[in-house]
Coordinates of all heavy atoms in Angstrom, one line a residue:
A1 N -200.9 29.5 119.6 CA -201.3 28.5 120.6 C -202.1 29.1 121.7 O -201.7 30.1 122.3 CB -200.1 27.8 121.2
K2 N -203.3 28.5 122.1 CA -204.1 29.0 123.1 C -203.6 28.5 124.5 O -202.9 27.5 124.5 CB -205.5 28.6 122.9 CG -206.2 29.2 121.7 CD -207.6 28.8 121.5 CE -208.2 29.4 120.2 NZ -209.6 28.9 120.0
Q3 N -204.0 29.1 125.5 CA -203.6 28.7 126.9 C -204.8 28.3 127.7 O -205.9 28.5 127.3 CB -202.8 29.9 127.5 CG -201.5 30.3 126.8 CD -200.6 29.1 126.6 OE1 -200.3 28.4 127.5 NE2 -200.0 29.0 125.4
G4 N -204.5 27.8 128.9 CA -205.6 27.5 129.8 C -206.3 26.2 129.3 O -205.8 25.3 128.7
A5 N -207.6 26.2 129.6 CA -208.5 25.1 129.3 C -208.5 24.8 127.8 O -208.8 23.7 127.4 CB -209.9 25.3 129.8
Q6 N -208.3 25.8 127.0 CA -208.4 25.7 125.5 C -207.0 25.3 124.9 O -206.9 25.2 123.7 CB -208.9 27.0 124.9 CG -210.4 27.3 125.2 CD -211.3 26.2 124.8 OE1 -211.3 25.8 123.6 NE2 -212.1 25.6 125.7
R7 N -206.0 25.1 125.7 CA -204.7 24.7 125.2 C -204.7 23.3 124.6 O -205.2 22.4 125.2 CB -203.7 24.8 126.3 CG -202.2 24.5 125.8 CD -201.2 24.9 126.9 NE -201.2 23.9 128.0 CZ -200.3 22.8 128.0 NH1 -199.4 22.7 127.0 NH2 -200.4 22.0 129.0
Q8 N -204.2 23.2 123.4 CA -204.1 21.9 122.7 C -203.0 21.2 123.4 O -201.9 21.6 123.5 CB -203.9 22.0 121.2 CG -203.7 20.7 120.6 CD -203.4 20.8 119.1 OE1 -203.7 21.8 118.5 NE2 -202.7 19.8 118.5
V9 N -203.3 19.9 123.9 CA -202.3 19.1 124.5 C -202.0 17.8 123.8 O -201.2 17.0 124.4 CB -202.7 18.9 126.0 CG1 -202.6 20.2 126.8 CG2 -204.1 18.3 126.1
G10 N -202.5 17.7 122.6 CA -202.2 16.5 121.8 C -203.2 16.4 120.7 O -204.1 17.3 120.6
H11 N -203.1 15.4 119.9 CA -204.1 15.2 118.8 C -204.2 13.7 118.4 O -203.3 12.9 118.8 CB -203.6 16.0 117.6 CG -202.5 15.4 116.8 ND1 -202.7 14.6 115.7 CD2 -201.2 15.5 116.9 CE1 -201.6 14.2 115.2 NE2 -200.6 14.7 116.0
F12 N -205.3 13.4 117.7 CA -205.5 12.1 117.1 C -205.9 12.4 115.7 O -206.9 13.1 115.5 CB -206.6 11.3 117.8 CG -206.8 10.0 117.2 CD1 -206.1 8.9 117.5 CD2 -207.9 9.9 116.3 CE1 -206.3 7.7 116.9 CE2 -208.2 8.6 115.7 CZ -207.4 7.5 116.0
A13 N -205.1 12.0 114.7 CA -205.4 12.2 113.3 C -205.6 13.7 113.0 O -206.4 14.1 112.1 CB -206.7 11.5 112.9
G14 N -204.8 14.5 113.7 CA -204.9 16.0 113.5 C -206.0 16.7 114.2 O -206.2 17.9 114.2
I15 N -206.9 15.9 114.9 CA -208.0 16.5 115.7 C -207.4 16.8 117.1 O -207.0 15.8 117.8 CB -209.2 15.5 115.8 CG1 -209.6 15.0 114.4 CG2 -210.3 16.1 116.6 CD1 -210.6 13.9 114.5
P16 N -207.4 18.0 117.5 CA -206.8 18.3 118.8 C -207.7 17.9 120.0 O -208.9 17.9 119.9 CB -206.7 19.8 118.8 CG -207.7 20.3 117.9 CD -207.9 19.2 116.8
F17 N -207.0 17.5 121.1 CA -207.8 17.4 122.4 C -207.2 18.5 123.3 O -206.1 18.8 123.3 CB -207.8 16.0 123.0 CG -206.4 15.4 123.2 CD1 -205.8 15.6 124.4 CD2 -205.8 14.6 122.3 CE1 -204.6 15.0 124.7 CE2 -204.6 14.0 122.5 CZ -203.9 14.2 123.8
L18 N -208.1 19.0 124.1 CA -207.8 20.2 124.9 C -207.6 19.9 126.3 O -208.2 19.0 126.9 CB -209.0 21.3 124.7 CG -209.4 21.6 123.3 CD1 -210.5 22.6 123.2 CD2 -208.2 22.2 122.5
E19 N -206.8 20.7 127.0 CA -206.4 20.5 128.4 C -207.7 20.5 129.3 O -207.8 19.6 130.2 CB -205.5 21.6 128.8 CG -205.0 21.4 130.2 CD -203.9 22.4 130.6 OE1 -203.6 23.3 129.8 OE2 -203.3 22.2 131.7
G20 N -208.6 21.4 129.0 CA -209.8 21.5 129.8 C -210.8 20.3 129.7 O -211.6 20.1 130.6
N21 N -210.6 19.5 128.7 CA -211.5 18.3 128.5 C -210.9 17.0 129.1 O -211.6 16.0 129.1 CB -211.8 18.1 127.0 CG -212.8 19.1 126.4 OD1 -213.6 19.6 127.2 ND2 -212.8 19.2 125.1
V22 N -209.7 17.1 129.5 CA -209.0 15.8 130.0 C -209.3 15.7 131.5 O -208.9 16.6 132.3 CB -207.5 15.8 129.7 CG1 -206.9 14.6 130.3 CG2 -207.2 15.9 128.2
D23 N -210.0 14.7 131.9 CA -210.3 14.5 133.3 C -209.3 13.6 134.0 O -209.5 12.3 134.0 CB -211.7 13.9 133.4 CG -212.2 13.6 134.8 OD1 -211.5 14.1 135.7 OD2 -213.3 13.0 135.0
T24 N -208.3 14.1 134.5 CA -207.2 13.4 135.1 C -207.7 12.6 136.4 O -207.0 11.7 136.8 CB -206.0 14.3 135.5 OG1 -206.4 15.3 136.4 CG2 -205.4 14.9 134.2
S25 N -208.8 13.0 136.9 CA -209.3 12.3 138.1 C -209.7 10.8 137.8 O -209.8 10.0 138.7 CB -210.5 13.0 138.7 OG -211.6 12.9 137.9
Q26 N -209.8 10.5 136.5 CA -210.1 9.1 136.1 C -208.9 8.2 136.3 O -209.0 7.0 136.3 CB -210.6 9.1 134.7 CG -212.0 9.8 134.5 CD -212.5 9.5 133.1 OE1 -212.2 8.6 132.4 NE2 -213.4 10.5 132.7
W27 N -207.7 8.8 136.4 CA -206.5 8.0 136.6 C -206.2 8.0 138.0 O -205.3 8.7 138.5 CB -205.4 8.7 135.7 CG -205.7 8.8 134.3 CD1 -206.5 8.0 133.5 CD2 -205.3 9.9 133.4 NE1 -206.6 8.5 132.3 CE2 -205.9 9.6 132.1 CE3 -204.5 11.0 133.6 CZ2 -205.7 10.5 131.0 CZ3 -204.3 11.8 132.5 CH2 -204.9 11.6 131.2
K28 N -206.8 7.1 138.8 CA -206.8 7.2 140.2 C -205.5 6.8 140.9 O -205.3 7.1 142.0 CB -207.9 6.2 140.8 CG -207.7 4.8 140.4 CD -208.9 3.9 140.9 CE -208.7 2.5 140.6 NZ -209.8 1.6 141.1
Y29 N -204.6 6.2 140.1 CA -203.3 5.9 140.7 C -202.2 6.9 140.4 O -201.0 6.7 140.8 CB -202.8 4.5 140.2 CG -203.7 3.4 140.7 CD1 -204.3 2.5 139.8 CD2 -203.9 3.1 142.0 CE1 -205.1 1.5 140.2 CE2 -204.7 2.1 142.5 CZ -205.3 1.3 141.5 OH -206.1 0.3 142.0
R30 N -202.6 8.0 139.8 CA -201.6 9.1 139.6 C -201.7 10.1 140.8 O -202.8 10.6 141.1 CB -201.8 9.8 138.3 CG -201.6 9.0 137.1 CD -201.4 9.8 135.8 NE -200.2 10.6 135.9 CZ -199.0 10.2 135.7 NH1 -198.7 8.9 135.4 NH2 -197.9 11.1 135.7
L31 N -200.6 10.3 141.5 CA -200.6 11.0 142.8 C -200.1 12.4 142.5 O -199.5 12.7 141.5 CB -199.7 10.3 143.8 CG -200.1 8.9 144.1 CD1 -199.0 8.2 145.0 CD2 -201.5 8.8 144.8

């Protein structure tokens, strides 16, 4: 398992999405 921005944090159909690609600023109500 990789760490940092390249860490896999989930998948869709076995395709991983990476921590560094998730833009949490789009979820404006999360404090």
Side-chain angles (χ1 to χ4, degrees):
K2 296 180 180 179
Q3 299 302 316
Q6 293 300 305
R7 183 170 75 96
Q8 178 181 336
V9 288
H11 77 92
F12 178 85
I15 307 169
F17 56 89
L18 307 179
E19 184 171 11
N21 282 341
V22 179
D23 181 9
T24 58
S25 68
Q26 293 188 26
W27 305 328
K28 60 181 180 178
Y29 294 122
R30 294 198 65 81
L31 301 173

